[in-house]
Amino acid sequence: MKKNILFFVVFAMSLFSCEDLFEPAIQNNRDIDEIYNEPKFAYGLVINGYTRIPTNGWDYSDMATDNATSNIESNAFYTMATGQWASNNNPVSQWQNSKAAIQYMNIALAEMDSVTFSENVPVNAMFTDRVKGEAYGLRALFMYYLLRAHGGESDGELLGVPIILDPENGQSDFNQARATFEACMQQLYADVEKAIELLPVDYANIGDEADIPTKYFDIGAAVDDYNRVFGDDARLLFTERIARSVRAQASLMASSPAFSGGNTTTWEEAANYAAEVIDLNNGIAGIDPNGVVWYTDQGSQITNAGSGLSPGEIIWRSDMGGPSSNLEEDNYPPTLFGDGLINPTQNLVDAFPMANGYPIVNPSSGFDPANPYANRDPRLNQFIQVNGSTAGPNGTVINTSVDGGTIDGLNQVETSTRTGYYMRKLLRQDVNLNPVSVNGQLHINPRIRYTEIYLAYAEAANEAFGPMGTGTHAYSAYDVIHALRERAGVGASNDDAYLESIKGDQAAMRTLIRNERRLELSFEGFRFWDLRRWNLDLTEAARGVSITGGQHQIISVDNRVYSDYMIYGPVPYSEILKFNALEQNTGW
């Protein structure tokens, strides 16, 4: 039966009625055969995958954890954290989106060998390889998103999602059982290997025939041919470096406590996969000195990121677009004309150590409860607006105290903070929201950052080799954490005595690594997934601070209402109703 491209689009998006699904309107009908001599149409299948990558590759689910809450009680993450997360109300579901993306990738992989991208034989071969490599890589990425959101235990077995490798059509059997988590991980790894085989490490113009891969040189590819397919113009598309990074992300998840009992991925393998990416970045020496404040234009790192280039911290990013102020409108304090949406918690503030590197609960820290923001880790003021800090293009002092006399104070107006803190990280402080002189700025939106991969290595290496062990690599978990804390300005006065004191203690190093991950990746959508893969308590109440007369009183802001089984997310209720072969995760 002749396949029809619109059917695949409609099926994947699940937007239309049954009549539309099986009898699409003639005027909207394009036959799959049309892609063979229309490469832009064919490549649109893969482009669909890029458009389905969640915003920036992450989310604002920190508001559903002990890191932050929202000043809007109807916010999806707020309601999720306060008892309304269900299989038919799931703000972090990836079932429809990622399965639709995989359907498009399956069509692309089934058809691309028949597409004529160019009459030039080597150019056509290179385009075919690149597009298929992108499709394999994207299929692996969306499998990762599916496993993270929906993988879980059912009747004691760790399950993933149905593995679908061929395009589905009207004759397909959609009632497919979930594959084991292990089988899904092996499929992800296989797709990553295919992407690595077909894609360059990075896209960049070359100037010499010697730089043309042998398989293309042997069929007559010239320098201009190679640059046409794999040159500068392809930057921001999927690469070998990105494929290896996705594998590092997925293997860290698979080796973590919540998933390790149902698959064969080990901590050592997770460390090795992360190390492959780190080695491509010159090891420890490759840590970007501006990586803490990657979201600012320090050193013109954003201004200079045009033409698909990225700052040294960024492995993969979305297209930058033009100047904007939306993020600041959502999150600036109200005196700066913002809505103060994301409210960091006292829990997160307390996680920042002192500048000398000691946790604030350690007797050697020097922490003063009466002056709690003094001599703290510099990242505290870089990431969070505390009482008395400055913000905005004019360095406005932000007063969050109850008696401070401004609408930035605790619970003063609807857009005021509910915790005594505002988010500073991610925001450009040179954005002006004053209605008489509004200006936007360029923002860089990373999908994967190097810091994430360095932290993934540290976590896995500590579990596999201990704090000081290196396995087959040139660096240890200790080395990575030391370098990241040094970059942040932590422990500069005492050679990070706290880190030195625990470098022989695997459990203490585990706690520190997890805390460094919490800080470095805060507000980027990691905490929710990390707590669950670590099988840790999700119910720690969100706390804040009420400041009156200069006195700081810790307050309870929101309870977190989760059940133990919620370390795994649900299969959508609608899918369970439709397909009896699908098993729901236990508890949902």
Side-chain angles (χ1 to χ4, degrees):
M1 178 178 179
K2 183 176 282 188
K3 293 173 286 182
N4 180 279
I5 188 67
L6 180 63
F7 173 79
F8 291 122
V9 174
V10 173
F11 167 74
M13 296 182 69
S14 300
L15 293 177
F16 302 98
S17 69
C18 290
E19 290 183 2
D20 292 331
L21 186 64
F22 292 103
E23 296 182 16
I26 298 299
Q27 64 268 26
N28 294 329
N29 222 0
R30 295 201 71 184
D31 196 276
I32 193 70
D33 293 343
E34 294 182 50
I35 75 170
Y36 301 142
N37 294 302
E38 194 175 341
K40 288 184 179 179
F41 182 27
Y43 189 57
L45 297 167
V46 177
I47 291 295
N48 188 280
Y50 287 108
T51 64
R52 290 179 178 276
I53 297 172
T55 305
N56 308 328
W58 35 265
D59 55 50
Y60 296 116
S61 58
D62 275 32
M63 290 187 287
T65 74
D66 54 357
N67 267 9
T69 190
S70 172
N71 63 7
I72 299 177
E73 293 187 1
S74 60
N75 177 274
F77 294 119
Y78 179 91
T79 60
M80 177 182 184
T82 52
Q84 297 183 48
W85 191 18
S87 61
N88 60 354
N89 179 35
N90 185 6
V92 295
S93 177
Q94 272 294 308
W95 193 272
Q96 282 79 16
N97 179 70
S98 289
K99 283 176 66 67
I102 288 173
Q103 164 75 348
Y104 279 103
M105 297 311 102
N106 288 344
I107 302 169
L109 291 168
E111 302 295 343
M112 285 306 147
D113 284 331
S114 300
V115 175
T116 301
F117 290 98
S118 173
E119 296 300 330
N120 179 311
V121 172
V123 169
N124 189 68
M126 287 187 288
F127 265 121
T128 300
D129 280 357
R130 195 197 82 187
V131 174
K132 289 173 65 176
E134 292 175 73
Y136 279 117
L138 287 167
R139 192 166 73 177
L141 177 68
F142 285 104
M143 175 61 83
Y144 167 55
Y145 290 149
L146 282 168
L147 292 177
R148 189 176 67 167
H150 304 288
E153 285 189 358
S154 179
D155 292 328
E157 184 178 21
L158 192 64
L159 300 179
V161 296
I163 297 175
I164 309 297
L165 302 180
D166 297 311
E168 293 179 290
N169 57 40
Q171 284 67 53
S172 297
D173 179 6
F174 301 125
N175 192 22
Q176 295 294 313
R178 296 166 64 190
T180 64
F181 189 90
E182 166 72 359
C184 291
M185 284 300 302
Q186 292 306 316
Q187 182 58 51
L188 184 154
Y189 292 149
D191 282 347
V192 167
E193 287 293 344
K194 291 295 293 184
I196 290 171
E197 174 188 333
L198 295 169
L199 296 173
V201 175
D202 299 298
Y203 295 108
N205 286 347
I206 62 173
D208 193 293
E209 286 185 347
D211 295 324
I212 300 173
T214 301
K215 64 177 178 177
Y216 300 132
F217 183 80
D218 287 348
I219 60 173
V223 168
D224 288 346
D225 297 332
Y226 182 87
N227 291 342
R228 179 179 169 187
V229 182
F230 295 115
D232 293 349
D233 290 343
R235 289 170 179 160
L236 302 186
L237 300 179
F238 215 94
T239 64
E240 176 187 334
R241 188 185 301 265
I242 295 166
R244 293 185 185 277
S245 299
V246 170
R247 183 166 63 184
Q249 293 174 318
S251 62
L252 184 72
M253 172 188 69
S255 55
S256 298
F259 297 100
S260 60
N263 75 106
T264 59
T265 301
T266 64
W267 284 117
E268 182 174 1
E269 288 174 315
N272 292 342
Y273 289 143
E276 290 176 3
V277 182
I278 291 171
D279 289 344
L280 289 173
N281 195 45
N282 197 27
I284 300 295
I287 292 177
D288 180 26
N290 293 325
V292 173
V293 288
W294 55 267
Y295 50 91
T296 71
D297 200 26
Q298 184 168 314
S300 298
Q301 62 181 355
I302 296 179
T303 300
N304 295 334
S307 302
L309 296 171
S310 296
E313 169 65 11
I314 309 300
I315 294 175
W316 190 26
R317 65 175 176 86
S318 61
D319 185 49
M320 209 155 44
S324 66
S325 59
N326 295 338
L327 196 59
E328 289 73 24
E329 289 171 10
D330 284 343
N331 291 288
Y332 262 6
T335 56
L336 297 180
F337 308 97
D339 291 332
L341 173 66
I342 299 176
N343 298 169
T345 59
Q346 185 68 45
N347 316 52
L348 177 59
V349 170
D350 288 348
F352 288 86
M354 299 297 286
N356 64 16
Y358 283 93
I360 64 171
V361 296
N362 190 292
S364 299
S365 69
F367 175 68
D368 180 4
N371 192 14
Y373 312 127
N375 302 316
R376 297 293 291 275
D377 178 340
R379 292 173 294 188
L380 175 59
N381 282 304
Q382 290 167 327
F383 295 172
I384 296 175
Q385 295 285 171
V386 304
N387 185 52
S389 63
T390 60
N394 299 316
T396 303
V397 175
I398 305 302
N399 191 326
T400 66
S401 62
V402 175
D403 56 354
T406 79
I407 57 174
D408 291 337
L410 182 74
N411 294 325
Q412 296 299 301
V413 296
E414 286 186 358
T415 54
S416 300
T417 176
R418 297 175 59 240
T419 62
Y421 301 104
Y422 294 95
M423 185 181 76
R424 182 184 180 92
K425 188 181 179 183
L426 309 180
L427 309 182
R428 289 283 300 260
Q429 298 300 316
D430 48 355
V431 165
N432 190 345
L433 297 181
N434 189 315
V436 301
S437 55
V438 174
N439 76 284
Q441 297 291 350
L442 294 172
H443 294 74
I444 197 158
N445 301 318
R447 290 176 173 143
I448 308 175
R449 296 201 289 122
Y450 272 113
T451 296
E452 177 196 349
I453 304 301
Y454 280 95
L455 287 165
Y457 175 81
E459 180 180 341
N462 181 59
E463 302 298 335
F465 317 128
M468 302 296 288
T470 60
T472 59
H473 312 293
Y475 38 84
S476 64
Y478 162 86
D479 293 328
V480 169
I481 297 302
H482 184 275
L484 292 177
R485 282 163 64 94
E486 184 177 49
R487 180 182 71 176
V490 173
S493 64
N494 62 353
D495 296 323
D496 206 345
Y498 177 71
L499 177 62
E500 293 303 311
S501 72
I502 66 166
K503 66 183 182 182
D505 185 335
Q506 185 183 49
M509 184 65 78
R510 178 186 303 121
T511 299
L512 179 60
I513 290 169
R514 288 178 175 180
N515 195 68
E516 285 296 311
R517 185 175 175 91
R518 180 181 190 177
L519 304 183
E520 286 279 351
L521 304 181
S522 57
F523 310 121
E524 297 178 55
F526 286 88
R527 182 69 172 169
F528 175 74
W529 307 104
D530 283 345
L531 286 171
R532 293 166 66 235
R533 69 179 176 85
W534 291 331
N535 202 5
L536 296 181
D537 183 19
L538 291 167
T539 62
E540 181 178 329
R543 293 178 286 113
V545 64
S546 177
I547 305 172
T548 305
Q551 301 298 308
H552 294 71
Q553 179 182 356
I554 305 304
I555 60 173
S556 179
V557 178
D558 287 320
N559 289 326
R560 293 292 185 244
V561 183
Y562 293 105
S563 299
D564 290 345
Y565 63 81
M566 291 179 177
I567 61 168
Y568 306 118
V571 175
Y573 180 65
S574 59
E575 299 298 298
I576 296 295
L577 288 179
K578 286 187 291 187
F579 305 118
N580 61 18
L582 283 177
E583 294 182 50
Q584 181 61 277
N585 288 331
T586 301
W588 292 98

